[in-house]
Amino acid sequence: MAVAETTDKTFEKDTSEGVTLTDFWATWCGPCRMQSPVVEQLSDEMGNVTFNKMDVDQNPETAQKFGIMSIPTLLVKKDGQVVDTIVGYHSKEQLAKVLDQYTD
């Protein structure tokens, strides 16, 4: 399953059901470019989680709303509620372990 782009306009709808992980990133961010393939791999392996990414330069409102000051930041929501915020680069194993806590 591919990682979908989400925007300020679609974020709430895109993250309202089930377990979702949103990767807040920017094109100029080196660690974001390292994190992105890890998120892509997880999206192929974890069918029970919806994966999104949001460019913070294009969509400043959502990043501001959730107080995202550093990128990459991965926001985990379950049924529309924020349950975890992961700041900085993390390995596939680390992220899978976090997500497993929220999936049934």
Side-chain angles (χ1 to χ4, degrees):
M1 202 165 113
V3 177
E5 282 281 342
T6 188
T7 66
D8 285 339
K9 288 182 176 46
T10 63
F11 178 75
E12 288 302 329
K13 182 173 72 73
D14 292 342
T15 62
S16 63
E17 292 180 22
V19 177
T20 63
L21 180 144
T22 304
D23 179 7
F24 289 85
W25 68 286
T27 53
W28 49 263
C29 165
C32 298
R33 288 197 295 271
M34 291 168 44
Q35 189 68 75
S36 191
V38 173
V39 172
E40 296 278 348
Q41 284 179 342
L42 271 179
S43 75
D44 291 338
E45 295 172 17
M46 297 187 80
N48 54 350
V49 178
T50 302
F51 292 85
N52 301 297
K53 60 184 178 181
M54 179 178 284
D55 184 331
V56 295
D57 289 336
Q58 305 293 319
N59 301 282
E61 287 173 29
T62 303
Q64 190 173 11
K65 177 180 173 186
F66 289 97
I68 291 167
M69 306 297 275
S70 304
I71 51 174
T73 290
L74 306 174
L75 196 69
V76 181
K77 291 175 89 178
K78 183 167 185 173
D79 298 325
Q81 300 298 311
V82 176
V83 291
D84 218 327
T85 304
I86 306 158
V87 180
Y89 172 83
H90 287 73
S91 71
K92 187 172 88 167
E93 292 74 23
Q94 288 170 313
L95 294 178
K97 191 173 177 184
V98 169
L99 291 169
D100 283 341
Q101 298 174 71
Y102 304 109
T103 56
D104 299 323

